[in-house]
Structure formats: structure tokens, C-alpha cells
Amino acid sequence: MAQVRQLLQVGGPLLGRGLANAGGASTATAAKKNHKRWQSSSISAGDYDLVVVGGGIVGAASAREILLRHPSLKVAILEKEPKLAFHQSGHNSGVIHAGIYYKPGTLKARLCVEGLHLAYKYLDDRKIPYKKSGKLIVATDEKEVKLLEDLQQRGIANKVPDLKIIEGDAIREIEPFCKGIKALHSPHTGIVDWALVTEHYGEDFKHAGGRIYLDYNVTKFSETKEGSADYPVTIHGSRPGQIVRTKNVLTCGGLQSDLLAEKTGCPKDPRIVPFRGEYLLLSKEKQHMVKGNIYPVPDPRFPFLGVHFTPRMDGSIWLGPNAVLALKREGYTWGDINLFELFDALRYPGFMKMASKYIGFGLSEMSKSAFINLQIKALQKYIPDITEYDIQRGPAGVRAQAMDLQGNLVDDFVFDRGVGSGALAKRVLHCRNAPSPGATSSLAIAKMIADKIEGEFSIGK
């Protein structure tokens, strides 16, 4: 059977937004404290109708949705880390995005706006703390005002609720210390702890009858040997005796998604190239100057969003991020280095083409990483009273950026299947890319993936 590869086109010029999947999400709640009560790390996991590999927010939401639709199925999640949401889903800015930036009519735009409404309903139903802190996208010169007006039209076309352009006193009423000519106000943008939300997805999944296996690092997929036609795929873990047999597999591997796909015969591209986003922290003495999210007008020349001000659920204010190549896929500092993974990224033709195109931008971002005072000028553009004495290094996260051979940042959903007529081609579906904002859109993405799983594997038919 020919290889099956599908890209759901979402397009648009604003690629790679929301880079900073930055870390340290505070999840000190009963759900977090007791996660081992309902999760397992046992070696032998048994036989399943469907196994989801990857316990990030997209994998957990998708497993939950499938099991809620089909409660008679036996479904499991395999997660290589000691808890859910260990990487991107637990290392992000915590913003609930409204869907302003994305090209109207695209899947990405629809899923974000749908996800916004689903997220707030879910947070209310599950009594998960959040804040509708709002967001200002601030124009500081006339050139940016024109881009701001274009953003407003894009947001209106996407049915983003209650968007409006404000200026003067109206800006100061919302953000008293912020300077700008005009601003686009999104009152329904919010903040939440997405790691905590993922834990709740896991609880829902468990209570519906699902099983979660932690510390299960998938190393191999194989066709089950004779006498096991009902469970044609065997999933092997890194520990001796870690074996799961299943009828069907969905992988949502985030930073490892391309490597998981290769294990069933899929090609290397699109490749995951890890970009680290590093935040600064605003001093407690100046935290009162930021009430909600303050964002720049995106520069269409560059693929990343730029510096912004992000309030957190714990009261802290994150500033940034920059965007630098991580030296390993899960490398949160310059000291986190994996030479094999670094060489794999550097030799990828797509990365070399992208690096040559944005060499000036890349060098600037690296300089900001080394010398944090270089970011002061960009911060003062919006809040002039912030000085170099008001900032310190903060958390960081790594984004799984899918990149094609031409050096384009893939901003589409990518699903992949292996080559041939065997079980690894027919019974394993890889979600190789779920573009930002994956957390905000997670419940909407889960519905889309569940629809796809039902069609691909004839579940419920």
C-alpha cells in the first residue's frame, strides 16, 4: 500500500506564533498532588483497542474524547515521562488565545475559536482556576496601526468575540502604564495553567475506564507474532518486559513525533527542529504595571511573535520570549546538549535554508539570550518605566517546530502512516504536527482527531 500522508491546510503568513512553550507551570492542586493515585507505571500493560502514545495535552485530550464517545473501548495512554504534560504542555505561556492572528477560513482559525469556547466551558465545569485577563496588541507607530487594522479584520472574520480598536484614555484604562498609538483589545483572551488542565483530561480519561502508563518510553513498534490477530501491533518500551498489544495506535509525540513516525517506516520530513523560548521575570515591585497580556503587532517579515508581557496565575509576570535553537530536543538551558540531536538538526537541509534566510534575526536572538539587558529597549517600547534592574532570567520551554525540506515552518496539521500493507501501515496513525495554539485548541483538536480515528480505523461502524 502506498504511503499515506495528509496535510490539513491552515496556512497564513504568521508562522510559528506562540513560540514560547515556556516552563515552570504551577500545578499545586489536588489533581497534581495525587496524579500517581490514578496513573500507573507497571511493566506489563496488556491488550487494548487503541493506544495513544504521548501524554501531552493533545494526546490526553484525544484519548479522553475517543473514550467518551466509545466507552466500551479499552484505551490506554503511554507517556515516557513520570507525569503528564511534562514538556510542551507543561512549559508554555499559559495563555488562552482568542484566534486573532490566523488566516480566515483555515482549520487553524476555526479550531482556535472553537477551542476557546470549549476551554472556558470545560474550565467552568471542572472548576479549574483561570482569569480572563484580556489582551492588548499595541501599535506604537503609524505603520503598525495599518497592520493592527488588518489584524482586526482578520479576527472579525474568524468570529473572535468583542474585538475592538482603542486608543488614548481607553488604552490607559486597561493598561495604565502602557504606551501606544492604538491597540486591538481582546477581552476574552485569558490565562490558565495548561499542565493542570492536562491532568484533568487525564482524570476524565481514567474515570471513563482508560489506563495511563507513565515512564513508558516507546522504543519500537512491531507486528504481533502468530496467534494474536486481534491485536496486530506490539509496542515495546525501554524497560525489560514493557510490552503492550493493541488493535490501533495514535501517536501524539510532540518533540519526539517525527522519531515515532520513523519507527513505522515514515520519512524524516517534516523534521522536528527544537526552538527554545526564554522568558524574563519582572520584579515584584513592577508587577503592578501589567494588568493583562500586552503583545506587539506581529512583524510579517519574521516567523516568531516577539517580546510580550504575560501575567501568570501565580501573579508573576513573564517577559519575552526570544527564540533560539535548542541544543537537544528537550534542552531548556544552554547546558542541555545532546550532540547527536544537535547534529541531526544542523544537517537537516530545511534548517540550513531557514538559518541562511533569518541569519540576522537568529544572531540577534542569541545575543538577547546571552545578554538579557538587550531586551530592555523592546520592553520599554510598551512600558517605559521598566529598567534593567527590574528583570531577571526566568523559565524556558522548547517548541517542537516542524520544518519541511525547503526550510518552511510547517503551520499545518500533519498526519502520517507508514508504507506497505502490514499492520504498522494500516493500524498506526501519527499526528506529526499539531500547530500552536495547541493548548487553547486542544478540545477542538481532540474532536477532529477522534473523527479521523473513527474513519481511519472504522471505530463505531
Side-chain angles (χ1 to χ4, degrees), residues 163-183:
L163 274 183
K164 62 178 179 180
I165 288 182
I166 60 175
E167 56 185 302
D169 291 341
I171 293 177
R172 288 186 288 276
E173 286 178 9
I174 298 170
E175 293 288 351
F177 296 91
C178 181
K179 304 298 181 183
I181 299 175
K182 291 185 178 182

Side-chain angles (χ1 to χ4, degrees), residues 1-7 251 256-272 329 344 348-349 402-405 414-420 424-425 428 430-433:
M1 186 178 83
Q3 179 189 12
V4 178
R5 310 192 75 202
Q6 183 173 2
L7 275 74
T251 72
Q256 311 295 328
S257 60
D258 56 340
L259 302 181
L260 286 170
E262 285 185 73
K263 294 181 189 299
T264 64
C266 298
K268 288 181 176 293
D269 65 291
R271 203 66 175 158
I272 295 298
R329 290 192 177 222
D344 180 72
Y348 182 59
M403 186 179 297
D404 66 21
L405 285 167
V414 179
F415 293 92
D416 210 348
R417 295 174 72 167
V419 177
L424 297 188
V428 182
H430 301 283
C431 179
R432 294 188 64 153
N433 193 46

Side-chain angles (χ1 to χ4, degrees), residues 307-432:
V307 63
H308 45 272
F309 299 72
T310 305
R312 299 284 295 180
M313 290 298 295
D314 64 1
S316 63
I317 306 294
W318 290 8
L319 313 171
N322 60 2
V324 296
L325 178 69
L327 305 184
K328 63 181 293 188
R329 290 192 177 222
E330 295 161 1
Y332 296 95
T333 71
W334 285 110
D336 294 332
I337 303 173
N338 182 304
L339 293 177
F340 177 81
E341 292 179 356
L342 177 59
F343 181 66
D344 180 72
L346 293 176
R347 70 175 180 175
Y348 182 59
F351 174 77
M352 291 187 285
K353 292 178 181 178
M354 189 212 70
S356 63
K357 181 177 180 181
Y358 296 111
I359 187 168
F361 176 83
L363 291 174
S364 174
E365 294 297 284
M366 292 176 66
S367 298
K368 292 175 184 177
S369 175
F371 306 102
I372 62 174
N373 289 348
L374 295 178
Q375 299 189 50
I376 287 295
K377 185 176 180 180
L379 296 170
Q380 290 176 334
K381 185 178 179 181
Y382 304 98
I383 300 183
D385 292 336
I386 292 177
T387 72
E388 62 185 284
Y389 303 106
D390 299 319
I391 62 172
Q392 62 180 6
R393 293 189 184 275
V398 181
R399 175 180 179 142
Q401 179 59 62
M403 186 179 297
D404 66 21
L405 285 167
Q406 284 68 49
N408 301 309
L409 306 186
V410 178
D411 211 28
D412 306 326
F413 289 87
V414 179
F415 293 92
D416 210 348
R417 295 174 72 167
V419 177
S421 58
L424 297 188
K426 289 184 175 181
R427 295 291 183 176
V428 182
L429 179 66
H430 301 283
C431 179
R432 294 188 64 153

